Amino acid sequence: MADDNAETFADDDAGGAPVKKGGAKNGFIGLLKWILIAVAAIIVIVTVVFITIGLTKKDGNGGTQNFSVATEYTSKREAYDWYTSLDPINTNTDEQIAATVRVQVALGYKKDDKAASTEITNRRVEITDTLRRFFSEQTANDLKPQNEEILRQNIKDLLNDTILSDSRIRDVRFTQLDVTQQY
């Protein structure tokens, strides 16, 4: 099997020295092959860039929205029913110069869990009192927005461990959390 770039030699009448035939033709074919490879590479790169840009679209606010190609790997968050009938809690923080706290809490429980809804309703006064005591033991620094995730987890654990017996609270959210410091 002959290579396209192989040199062919023929005997010359004037001494039998080898002579190269088709050198310019083979060089041109080799150059053309590399040019086609470069053009194909550029086409692939441009196509990948346009697909990537197409998947990342601008939203109305000038930011970007990323769209995932593999949506089957995203976990779906569980939907909860929410108990929002707890009374608003007004208390002071546990500090030398106390801050005033006004908070409204919503409790999330497993969707269509009638036992949880009934138990939370039956223990509403205990839950409100426990929440009031919980917030009165906090400082203004504890109630800063960057600490809300810790607060929600602590409240969930507190209510599940001390108040509820037949059901579980799955999530806690603040529909209002105002901290007013006295100066």
Side-chain angles (χ1 to χ4, degrees), residues 9-78:
F9 296 97
D11 289 335
D12 190 13
D13 293 324
V19 177
K20 185 176 178 184
K21 289 186 179 178
K25 179 179 169 190
N26 287 339
F28 179 73
I29 291 174
L31 180 64
L32 186 60
K33 180 173 68 171
W34 285 107
I35 291 173
L36 289 175
I37 289 172
V39 169
I42 291 171
I43 290 172
V44 168
I45 292 170
V46 169
T47 302
V48 168
V49 168
F50 278 113
I51 289 172
T52 304
I53 290 172
L55 292 177
T56 307
K57 298 189 187 253
K58 295 277 185 184
D59 65 8
N61 299 327
T64 60
Q65 290 180 335
N66 293 325
F67 295 98
S68 175
V69 175
T71 57
E72 66 269 9
Y73 294 111
T74 58
S75 62
K76 292 186 179 181
R77 291 181 41 198
E78 185 178 355

Side-chain angles (χ1 to χ4, degrees), residues 30-174:
L31 180 64
L32 186 60
K33 180 173 68 171
W34 285 107
I35 291 173
L36 289 175
I37 289 172
V39 169
I42 291 171
I43 290 172
V44 168
I45 292 170
V46 169
T47 302
V48 168
V49 168
F50 278 113
I51 289 172
T52 304
I53 290 172
L55 292 177
T56 307
K57 298 189 187 253
K58 295 277 185 184
D59 65 8
N61 299 327
T64 60
Q65 290 180 335
N66 293 325
F67 295 98
S68 175
V69 175
T71 57
E72 66 269 9
Y73 294 111
T74 58
S75 62
K76 292 186 179 181
R77 291 181 41 198
E78 185 178 355
Y80 298 120
D81 281 336
W82 293 91
Y83 188 86
T84 57
S85 297
L86 293 173
D87 295 330
I89 297 164
N90 296 306
T91 189
N92 294 321
T93 59
D94 187 24
E95 300 171 285
Q96 180 84 18
I97 300 175
T100 304
V101 179
R102 179 167 174 86
V103 64
Q104 181 75 43
V105 178
L107 305 175
Y109 54 91
K110 196 172 182 180
K111 196 139 187 83
D112 299 324
D113 185 356
K114 301 300 179 196
S117 175
T118 302
E119 186 171 15
I120 292 170
T121 301
N122 291 339
R123 298 184 181 271
R124 189 173 136 211
V125 173
E126 294 172 74
I127 291 171
T128 302
D129 181 58
T130 301
L131 290 173
R132 182 196 49 77
R133 199 168 357 104
F134 174 82
F135 283 103
S136 67
E137 294 171 352
Q138 305 300 311
T139 64
N141 284 334
D142 295 335
L143 301 175
K144 288 187 174 181
Q146 58 266 27
N147 297 330
E148 282 188 20
E149 186 63 37
I150 296 167
L151 290 171
R152 291 195 308 255
Q153 183 65 42
N154 289 342
I155 290 169
K156 181 174 81 168
D157 293 343
L158 177 68
L159 296 179
N160 284 335
D161 295 343
T162 61
I163 305 285
L164 302 176
S165 58
D166 297 334
S167 57
R168 301 287 291 148
I169 292 172
R170 308 285 180 143
D171 197 4
V172 173
R173 297 294 168 164
F174 303 119

